[in-house]
Amino acid sequence: MNFMQVPTVTVESLPADGLLLDVRESEEWAAGRAEEALHIPMGEVVQRLGEITERADGGRVHVICKVGGRSAQVTAYLVQQGVDAVNVDGGMLAWADAGRAMQGDHEQPFVL
């Protein structure tokens, strides 16, 4: 599947109760993240696919990274595996710009 053809949604259209899969590295996750996100770094997605499908429980998986490149690749992979997955356009930078709640391991969460 071509990287540019993956299904995409905007941060503003994300459902409050949807599964958000953050595929950034651990140091990015620690700096700032969406409160309810499931963290599985991109390099672990293939071996942890069962965990993703279990959490999705047949629902849609919203995949996010910093800007949208890595999450688009993961979305393409998940779709190939039969998972209803969409890429979050603009990633965590768009999340932060939209004023969505974030938490982190520092006093002031930020997108790394």
Side-chain angles (χ1 to χ4, degrees):
M1 174 177 271
N2 184 310
F3 175 87
M4 300 307 286
Q5 296 173 327
V6 297
T8 303
V9 296
T10 63
V11 167
E12 293 77 20
S13 66
L14 287 173
D17 61 347
L19 174 58
L20 187 64
L21 171 63
D22 191 325
V23 298
R24 297 175 301 148
E25 296 303 316
S26 295
E27 54 276 0
E28 294 173 287
W29 167 263
R33 60 191 171 271
E35 198 171 331
E36 301 298 324
L38 169 63
H39 180 228
I40 299 180
M42 182 178 177
E44 298 177 19
V45 167
V46 173
Q47 56 268 45
R48 294 176 68 184
L49 179 61
E51 187 179 337
I52 296 167
T53 57
E54 184 178 309
R55 279 285 298 273
D57 195 27
R60 176 167 278 178
V61 178
H62 304 85
V63 189
I64 198 165
C65 65
K66 180 178 181 178
V67 186
R70 289 172 286 178
S71 54
Q73 293 176 56
V74 171
T75 299
Y77 169 75
L78 292 175
V79 168
Q80 288 173 343
Q81 305 310 307
V83 176
D84 179 8
V86 293
N87 185 36
V88 179
D89 189 39
M92 284 301 296
L93 289 176
W95 180 278
D97 286 347
R100 301 287 293 258
M102 287 180 27
Q103 66 181 36
D105 295 355
H106 309 283
E107 189 174 316
Q108 189 67 26
F110 62 97
V111 177
L112 178 63

